[in-house]
Amino acid sequence: MKKKKIKVNNKSFLYLNITQFLGALNDNFFKWLLIFFLIEHLGIDKESTIITMTTAVFVIPFLLFSDVAGVLADRISKARIVKQVKLAEIIIMTIGFMGFLLKSEYFLYTTLFLMSTQSAVFAPAKYGIIPELVDEKALSKANSLLAMMTFSAIIFGTACVSFLVKSIDGGFVYLSIICIVVACIGYATSLKIENTPSAGSDKKISPWFLLEICRTLRITSKDRYLLTAVLGLSFFWLIGAFLQMQLIPFGREVLGVSKETSGLLFMLVSLGIAIGSLLAGILSGTLIEFGIVPIGATGITFCMLGLYFTQSIFAVGILLFGLGASAGFFTLPLNAFIQWKAPKKKRGEILALVNFLNFVGILCAAGLIFLYGNLFDWSAKSSLAIAGLLTGLLSLIAFVMLPDFIIRLAVLCTTKLMGKTNSKNAKIIPSNGSAIIYCECSSLKEILKIISTQQRRIHFISEKKFCNRGNKWLFKLIKIMLFSSKTSCKIPEENMVKIRKLINAGYIVGIASENTSIAKSIQSILHEEKIIPPAFKAQIKSKKVIFYNS
């Protein structure tokens, strides 16, 4: 099926966004309605236990059924899964209505478990269908819109439940009817999503889901960048869940507001995430800009530490909004990158792994809340400061272990300052596999423009004459290898050793030189060594490029 570019008239993607908005609204509304109900009926002294228990019940289905959901997403049409899950939501919300009517704690926890189960099945299909509905170059924009709709739903749901619980004293039964209505509308919008073909996987569901999760993790770990994205998202969910659960006690302890008003604080975080995701999508453009991830991580660190040092509600509001915007910068590239990088037939499994690890993070957050509140008796603001320090430490590790983040960001900013870059013919460079490109360049500026049009990292080797005192720092930052071509048309053997290693490891190598004989020399050597097949020619920005696809 031909992919569609993300446009206003792409009705399937539009209805997917609406369906996701309604689903996130329902999940958030019902969960907070349940928390407020239990706190009112069991007492404020049980608040920490209620929040921990609610989170645990919500998380367990994602741990149990994520692998099943991934297998289903790869075996059958993701659009079909979306529709069936939304139908199940109507039944589950009806059961929830009965729970509030009977005022049964266990009945309501059962409803929450079922609601979480349908969300676990929905997630891999929801994210996995995006690359099937939009063009590859629109992934960042598509994810930014989906994130904006998701967190707009969280804002709206939190505001509604907090306001309505205050306005309708003891009206939990009536409020639960809203969940049924929203579920019905969500099912109606899901029917508008066009049918998509299955990914063609023949994998069967295994009862040994932990072994399957471990197997998928081993497959994912073969790609360092994919694994980093998966683990990065899981850490975000840990911090995000920890923050959400701590905002109620934080509001009471630091700002002196009620539990319902404290619940509204997360609206500011959600608003920040929605806007941050949108800005991240705009900055990324047609690429998945991994380089803005550390910016987001740094912002999260400073905002969480800032919450420890302020008691002003205005300052808290700014910090929470900034924290959310930083989170949007942090998560959007990771989500888009996983969808782009995951193999089509394994996409559902890998997204299921992401779901599983995300909710391991949420479960860990619930454990930390219990640990801090019941064993150490730490205040909410102290706990948030510790979480901020942990985020800062992991951000520093990411900077050291994956300097490509900084490199990519530096190149992006530099080329943006140079002006608009034409990437019309850049698609000739493959999205997978090793390759060599020869660029008839006369300056560093042309090298940077080629790098800025590519999603993949290009390891360049360039003539020394392009490097001078003014740009030497940039050559070092981008890690461009240098050689001299004054006396010979051959690249030194030490450079050839590095080129062989990069090609054999599946990377792209760029040769930047004005001497076409150098490319022919490399072609001859690597062809004789059977590292590359015969070459073919192509064009990028009217500059001659000899391109070898191995």
Side-chain angles (χ1 to χ4, degrees):
M1 183 179 68
K2 186 178 180 181
K3 291 181 181 178
K4 300 175 179 62
K5 291 187 177 180
I6 180 169
K7 296 178 181 178
V8 176
N9 63 357
N10 187 336
K11 292 184 178 180
S12 284
F13 184 74
L14 173 63
Y15 283 115
L16 176 66
N17 271 276
I18 296 173
T19 302
Q20 167 60 13
F21 175 87
L22 295 169
L25 173 65
N26 234 7
D27 284 357
N28 193 68
F29 190 95
F30 182 85
K31 187 170 73 172
W32 281 108
L33 193 65
L34 173 61
I35 290 173
F36 290 146
F37 174 82
L38 292 177
I39 291 176
E40 182 175 306
H41 282 73
L42 300 180
I44 192 68
D45 58 314
K46 299 288 185 180
E47 178 185 75
S48 179
T49 302
I50 290 169
I51 292 175
T52 301
M53 183 67 178
T54 302
T55 303
V57 172
F58 186 76
V59 166
I60 288 172
F62 284 89
L63 304 180
L64 294 176
F65 306 119
S66 284
D67 181 65
V68 173
V71 173
L72 290 175
D74 287 334
R75 283 182 64 93
I76 62 179
S77 168
K78 296 177 181 64
R80 181 183 172 190
I81 293 174
V82 169
K83 295 167 187 176
Q84 294 300 317
V85 162
K86 301 313 291 183
L87 179 61
E89 185 179 334
I90 299 173
I91 300 171
I92 294 167
M93 289 299 103
T94 303
I95 297 172
F97 166 78
M98 296 299 297
F100 283 111
L101 187 65
L102 298 173
K103 296 182 180 180
S104 169
E105 176 184 352
Y106 301 105
F107 207 93
L108 289 171
Y109 275 133
T110 300
T111 304
L112 182 64
F113 181 88
L114 293 173
M115 184 187 79
S116 180
T117 299
Q118 65 95 15
S119 295
V121 176
F122 180 50
K126 171 183 66 180
Y127 286 111
I129 200 174
I130 295 176
E132 298 176 8
L133 296 179
V134 305
D135 186 80
E136 184 178 282
K137 291 186 177 181
L139 278 177
S140 288
K141 184 178 179 182
N143 277 275
S144 70
L145 292 175
L146 195 69
M148 184 180 68
M149 293 296 284
T150 299
F151 287 96
S152 296
I154 291 173
I155 295 168
F156 188 63
T158 303
C160 284
V161 73
S162 298
F163 174 77
L164 292 173
V165 166
K166 273 187 172 183
S167 302
I168 307 175
D169 186 29
F172 293 99
V173 176
Y174 303 109
L175 294 179
S176 65
I177 297 174
I178 296 175
C179 296
I180 300 175
V181 174
V182 171
C184 291
I185 300 172
Y187 176 62
T189 57
S190 72
L191 296 176
K192 299 290 186 178
I193 300 172
E194 67 178 87
N195 292 323
T196 57
S198 69
S201 172
D202 57 358
K203 182 180 176 181
K204 296 181 180 179
I205 295 174
S206 169
W208 313 109
F209 66 93
L210 286 178
L211 293 177
E212 292 300 316
I213 289 291
C214 290
R215 187 187 66 81
T216 306
L217 183 60
R218 282 197 301 271
I219 294 172
T220 305
S221 65
K222 293 178 181 178
D223 187 320
R224 184 180 64 162
Y225 294 103
L226 183 58
L227 179 64
T228 301
V230 169
L231 297 180
L233 268 182
S234 301
F235 176 74
F236 162 77
W237 280 90
L238 187 155
I239 294 298
F242 185 82
L243 172 69
Q244 186 178 25
M245 288 184 279
Q246 284 287 56
L247 280 182
I248 290 181
F250 178 85
R252 286 191 295 99
E253 294 171 11
V254 178
L255 303 178
V257 297
S258 67
K259 65 180 185 298
E260 290 85 4
T261 305
S262 296
L264 293 174
L265 292 175
F266 196 71
M267 286 174 55
L268 293 170
V269 181
S270 301
L271 179 62
I273 295 175
I275 294 176
S277 298
L278 197 60
L279 291 176
I282 293 171
L283 180 60
S284 297
T286 60
L287 301 178
I288 300 169
E289 190 44 63
F290 225 4
I292 62 178
V293 172
I295 294 179
T298 304
I300 292 172
T301 299
F302 282 108
C303 289
M304 292 191 82
L305 290 176
L307 291 173
Y308 181 81
F309 296 101
T310 184
Q311 293 184 340
S312 164
I313 192 166
F314 179 74
V316 167
I318 292 175
L319 287 170
L320 289 177
F321 177 82
L323 197 157
S326 300
F329 268 63
F330 185 85
T331 57
L332 179 112
L334 298 181
N335 273 318
F337 181 81
I338 292 169
Q339 293 164 21
W340 171 71
K341 194 70 173 175
K344 184 178 179 180
K345 289 190 176 182
K346 297 287 183 181
R347 188 177 290 145
E349 286 184 55
I350 292 175
L351 289 173
L353 169 67
V354 171
N355 247 2
F356 180 87
L357 294 179
N358 286 351
F359 283 88
V360 167
I362 294 176
L363 195 61
C364 290
L368 289 174
I369 294 290
F370 180 80
L371 189 68
Y372 292 165
N374 293 280
L375 295 183
F376 297 147
D377 199 27
W378 289 348
S379 66
K381 70 174 187 176
S382 297
S383 300
L384 291 174
I386 292 170
L389 290 172
L390 178 60
T391 305
L393 176 62
L394 293 180
S395 300
L396 182 61
I397 293 172
F399 273 111
V400 174
M401 292 183 62
L402 298 170
D404 284 3
F405 287 166
I406 308 173
I407 294 169
R408 178 71 197 174
L409 182 61
V411 172
L412 176 72
C413 294
T414 304
T415 52
K416 290 286 185 184
L417 291 173
M418 289 178 178
K420 188 176 180 181
T421 300
N422 179 11
S423 59
K424 181 179 179 181
N425 297 314
K427 63 183 180 180
I428 64 170
I429 297 177
S431 58
N432 293 291
S434 57
I436 294 182
I437 59 172
Y438 168 71
C439 312
E440 191 177 18
C441 295
S442 58
S443 69
L444 175 61
K445 181 178 179 180
E446 293 168 359
I447 296 174
L448 293 179
K449 285 189 174 182
I450 292 172
I451 292 175
S452 69
T453 64
Q454 295 304 305
Q455 184 61 60
R456 298 180 65 192
R457 168 83 186 281
I458 300 177
H459 299 261
F460 266 100
I461 178 168
S462 170
E463 291 189 63
K464 285 183 178 179
K465 65 181 181 180
F466 295 163
C467 182
N468 53 52
R469 289 184 179 181
N471 61 24
K472 188 175 181 180
W473 65 273
L474 195 51
F475 271 81
K476 287 185 177 180
L477 183 64
I478 305 173
K479 297 182 180 179
I480 297 179
M481 296 181 285
L482 298 174
F483 70 94
S484 176
S485 61
K486 290 182 179 179
T487 58
S488 172
C489 65
K490 293 184 179 181
I491 289 183
E493 181 57 27
E494 60 183 280
N495 294 124
M496 285 302 304
V497 170
K498 293 179 181 179
I499 290 173
R500 291 187 189 98
K501 287 182 178 179
L502 290 168
I503 291 297
N504 287 327
Y507 292 106
I508 295 177
V509 176
I511 312 298
S513 172
E514 294 178 311
N515 190 347
T516 57
S517 299
I518 291 173
K520 294 178 181 178
S521 173
I522 294 175
Q523 175 194 9
S524 177
I525 293 171
L526 297 182
H527 183 50
E528 287 177 6
E529 295 175 357
K530 297 183 179 179
I531 293 178
I532 62 169
F536 65 89
K537 297 182 180 180
Q539 297 289 324
I540 292 184
K541 284 185 62 60
S542 301
K543 293 292 179 181
K544 188 176 181 181
V545 173
I546 303 176
F547 171 74
Y548 310 97
N549 182 16
S550 61

